[in-house]
Amino acid sequence: MKKIVTLSIALLAFAFSNAQETAKIVKSTKKAKAQTTKVAAVVLPKVEGAGMVFDTETIDYGTVAHNADGNRKFEFTNNGNKPLIITNTQGSCGCTVPTTPKEPIAPGSKGVIGVKYATDRVGAFTKTVTVTSNAEGMPTKVLTIKGTVLPDPAPATKS
């Protein structure tokens, strides 16, 4: 009987110590994954001079109603070590009107280029906005907007 009790205690002790080691491994793995995720989310490629990295280079309006709000924003970050100066933004036609930040964008700071599409024009569209700046390696950048403007619903007929 003593052998069975001793053996049971030994097995329990072994199982308990194994469970603690497994818990330590799981905790350290979770901690390492969390640290890796934090680092990956923050890192942008660094540029010598001014830089410009857009969150997205294409905005899809989707399907919008006739005369709907045509305002959208292109957000970007200066990933360089010098101020970014945007000297010009130009829409591909008169129906696409961009807005330009007036002040230089400091290194590491974010900026916005607004664009307004004239949604009084019915049908599918794909337009561009050309951005001119002092960004190193890409002084001009072409951004795209696209979507479809629906016609007004047909008036109901009286019977």
Side-chain angles (χ1 to χ4, degrees), residues 58-63 72 144-148:
T58 301
I59 293 179
D60 188 347
Y61 281 59
T63 303
R72 300 293 188 273
T144 305
I145 61 170
K146 63 182 181 175
T148 303

Side-chain angles (χ1 to χ4, degrees), residues 116-139:
K116 180 174 180 160
Y117 178 72
T119 58
D120 59 339
R121 299 166 184 238
V122 175
F125 65 91
T126 300
K127 303 295 178 184
T128 60
V129 174
T130 303
V131 180
T132 307
S133 71
N134 67 332
E136 209 51 50
M138 65 169 179

